[in-house]
Amino acid sequence: MIESLDPRVNRAAIELDNHIEPLSPLDQWETYEVFHQKKRGDQHMHVGIVHAANPEMALVFAKEQFGRRGLSANIWVVNTKHVFASTYEDADIFETTSEKIYREAGGYKVMDKINQYKKSQKA
Amino acid sequence: MYGNAYIDPNEVNKTHSVLADEDPKLLAEFEARIERGEKIEPKDWMPKEYRKQLIRMIEQHGHSEIIGALPEGTWITRAPGFKRKLALMAKVQDEVGHAQLLYSAAETLGKSREAMINDLITGKSKYSNVFNYPAFTWADACIIAWLIDAGAIINQVANAKGSYGPYCRALDRICTEESFHLKYGHDNVVTLATGTPVQRKMVQEALNRWWPPIMHFFGPSDKISSHTEILMKWKVKMATNDDMRQQFLNMYVPKIWDLGLTVPDANLKKNETTGKWEYTEPDWDEFKRVINGGGPCNAERLAVRRNAEERGRWVREALKAGQTAYVVPFA
């Protein structure tokens, strides 16, 4: 029996050579991806995962793990197996996006033309 | 709370032979990405050695958080006053939460949580050596909260700038919480050090007990721990053991002296010419003896952990849903 400085350990009456069966796969259940919203109006942000046996339990753990400080308004949990994601290997599909300035407000510069036009009208 | 990754001294530098069977083109791309300061994400190609060393390090870090909760938890039932009891419970809950974050990061590299827990409770995996020492008095718990957490922050702030995305994200969150631990610990130590002669004596004795483990905390001296070059290049390890120890001494020895406490090392002084601290070389044989199971609390820590695992088993079983299948987390 352990003689510990910790009264909780002594109360538990633990043998030092308490060999146990190893944990089998899924002993710690599946994982849920956690999305946390700080305050109403904000986007939910991915903050990490929790292990849980079901969505309700995942919410409890997510609140404990990611909502125990600061502001929290709302939490989503999504079973990891239900997330369908692009791959980093295919990141080249985004490569030309920044070149497509015709999609952006900054791609349209009209002041030069307007000024030139005004000048030509005065002449 | 965590010091530095413990690498078995018997595991010699096999890096060159390990890299021999890696695709040179992929390896070059991988190293170029790290060189550019980009993060590596779980599904990226990575050398086997990078994966192995990261799993070992993050897993050890996670185990340290879990086991670190035990010496501190010793004093929850007898914390002096309700406010300190609440704060200590919050701190211990944080540490256990840190383990959850770290295990998750290690899982993204392909080792299941069950496998990590199994390796911990059988003694196969290591954890920070300091937690194999007991917390004799309330003052020991205060010294742990202040100085061990201070050391952990130095290590974790450095590692948060490392190359592996999930580990960095976990560390950012952890460091925020650790800053509360540090302030809480300092507050407690200051209370004792500015208190009655009995309180001062108690905190000085705790400091004397914890100084050798604190000096061990950052791992063996660079002189005898040479296999870190490739890990530094890959930004797995961000600072050498000796550099972190120097940083710790520089930040905290003056704060200890401020309180009129003494450090139990007659050779400890700052060399004003080199700017480096000089100290008695820690006893690395003792360090190895304790990490290999010979410390005062190794057996108790693992027995307590096994007990918790075993007594919770029926609850975990009962909660299991009918249809479950494990999927490695994304990030």
Side-chain angles (χ1 to χ4, degrees):
Chain A
M1 209 73 78
I2 299 176
E3 280 184 43
S4 177
L5 290 168
D6 191 334
R8 302 170 308 166
V9 171
N10 290 332
R11 279 199 294 275
I14 301 166
E15 298 291 344
L16 264 184
D17 57 349
N18 55 349
H19 295 296
I20 66 168
E21 285 297 307
L23 307 190
S24 38
L26 280 178
D27 177 275
Q28 305 281 310
W29 315 294
E30 301 173 290
T31 65
Y32 287 79
E33 307 289 325
V34 180
F35 298 83
H36 176 258
Q37 186 193 36
K38 268 192 185 160
K39 57 178 199 293
R40 282 170 181 268
D42 282 359
Q43 299 278 13
H44 285 68
M45 294 275 287
H46 182 262
V47 285
I49 65 146
V50 291
H51 282 244
N54 53 55
E56 291 80 5
M57 186 180 174
L59 259 189
V60 172
F61 283 172
K63 182 251 166 192
E64 224 33 64
Q65 179 70 282
F66 300 104
R68 72 174 181 273
R69 282 201 178 77
L71 295 176
S72 294
N74 192 251
I75 296 175
W76 296 341
V77 291
V78 179
N79 193 311
T80 300
K81 71 180 175 224
H82 295 141
V83 176
F84 194 65
S86 68
T87 67
Y88 284 100
E89 272 171 31
D90 286 340
D92 58 350
I93 60 175
F94 303 114
E95 238 168 42
T96 57
T97 307
S98 57
E99 295 161 13
K100 295 173 184 167
I101 56 164
Y102 57 84
R103 290 172 185 266
E104 322 234 356
Y108 298 89
K109 302 205 186 303
V110 293
M111 284 316 292
D112 284 356
K113 279 183 198 158
I114 291 172
N115 288 337
Q116 206 174 358
Y117 172 74
K118 279 186 181 167
K119 224 163 142 189
S120 70
Q121 292 300 300
K122 273 182 202 156
Chain B
M1 295 185 294
Y2 184 58
N4 216 343
Y6 175 71
I7 303 172
D8 192 322
N10 302 318
E11 191 186 322
V12 287
N13 192 356
K14 293 176 274 185
T15 310
H16 291 294
S17 59
V18 166
L19 286 183
D21 62 341
E22 299 289 3
D23 182 328
K25 185 167 165 283
L26 290 174
L27 181 63
E29 284 171 8
F30 167 84
E31 292 188 335
R33 186 182 295 285
I34 292 175
E35 181 69 30
R36 287 195 300 272
E38 290 176 28
K39 302 290 181 189
I40 304 298
E41 292 293 344
K43 303 281 194 297
D44 286 337
W45 182 91
M46 60 187 82
K48 288 188 279 296
E49 184 68 6
Y50 178 83
R51 185 183 300 275
K52 182 183 141 193
Q53 294 293 348
L54 266 175
I55 290 175
R56 181 187 52 75
M57 184 164 136
I58 301 172
E59 181 186 346
Q60 274 184 24
H61 192 167
H63 294 332
S64 302
E65 305 284 353
I66 291 276
I67 301 293
L70 297 176
E72 285 196 286
T74 304
W75 286 91
I76 288 177
T77 53
R78 294 160 294 172
F82 190 58
K83 195 181 155 193
R84 290 198 185 88
K85 189 196 283 277
L86 278 177
L88 180 55
M89 284 195 293
K91 179 182 189 302
V92 168
Q93 189 195 20
D94 282 351
E95 307 295 6
V96 176
H98 294 171
Q100 306 289 323
L101 295 170
L102 292 158
Y103 285 154
S104 303
E107 278 170 69
T108 64
L109 291 159
K111 184 163 185 179
S112 75
R113 183 168 303 202
E114 291 85 1
M116 287 187 270
I117 296 173
N118 285 335
D119 285 350
L120 171 66
I121 60 186
T122 55
K124 190 176 170 219
S125 294
K126 304 296 180 197
Y127 51 85
S128 196
N129 210 29
V130 288
F131 306 124
N132 290 318
Y133 293 90
F136 279 114
T137 68
W138 166 251
D140 292 67
C142 300
I143 292 288
I144 295 173
W146 184 33
L147 293 179
I148 299 292
D149 281 65
I153 291 173
I154 287 172
N155 178 262
Q156 288 166 169
V157 167
N159 281 348
K161 297 184 187 73
S163 62
Y164 189 57
Y167 189 37
C168 298
R169 290 191 284 272
L171 286 174
D172 282 341
R173 189 169 279 273
I174 289 170
C175 287
T176 311
E177 298 187 349
E178 293 280 0
S179 59
F180 141 63
H181 302 172
L182 180 70
K183 293 287 279 187
Y184 155 84
H186 194 205
D187 184 85
N188 280 341
V189 170
V190 169
T191 301
L192 293 173
T194 58
T196 65
V198 176
Q199 285 175 311
R200 280 189 64 81
K201 183 165 176 280
M202 189 164 102
V203 74
Q204 180 65 61
E205 285 171 357
L207 178 61
N208 295 351
R209 276 193 289 275
W210 281 88
W211 191 254
I214 286 168
M215 290 299 279
H216 283 150
F217 188 67
F218 298 99
S221 160
D222 298 343
K223 293 193 286 280
I224 54 173
S225 170
S226 58
H227 45 291
T228 54
E229 204 176 304
I230 190 86
L231 298 182
M232 302 258 307
K233 184 182 177 187
W234 287 345
K235 296 184 186 169
V236 170
K237 204 173 156 66
M238 297 301 287
T240 71
N241 298 354
D242 282 341
D243 282 350
M244 285 191 286
R245 198 162 12 245
Q246 283 290 334
Q247 202 185 330
F248 172 82
L249 293 171
N250 214 26
M251 287 172 77
Y252 291 95
V253 172
K255 289 188 170 71
I256 294 169
W257 286 345
D258 261 357
L259 296 170
L261 299 172
T262 56
V263 175
D265 178 357
N267 296 322
L268 183 73
K269 64 169 193 298
K270 190 171 184 174
N271 182 326
E272 291 303 336
T273 324
T274 61
K276 299 273 186 196
W277 287 81
E278 294 168 359
Y279 48 82
T280 308
E281 191 62 32
D283 182 350
W284 297 115
D285 291 334
E286 153 87 0
F287 175 78
K288 280 176 209 156
R289 191 178 63 76
V290 174
I291 215 156
N292 287 319
C297 296
N298 299 56
E300 173 182 334
R301 301 286 184 243
L302 292 188
V304 168
R305 194 69 203 83
R306 282 192 295 270
N307 180 69
E309 222 44 78
E310 193 57 23
R311 291 193 183 179
R313 199 188 288 263
W314 71 273
V315 183
R316 297 194 302 276
E317 280 293 321
L319 282 163
K320 233 181 232 175
Q323 292 284 319
T324 45
Y326 181 78
V327 179
V328 174
F330 276 99

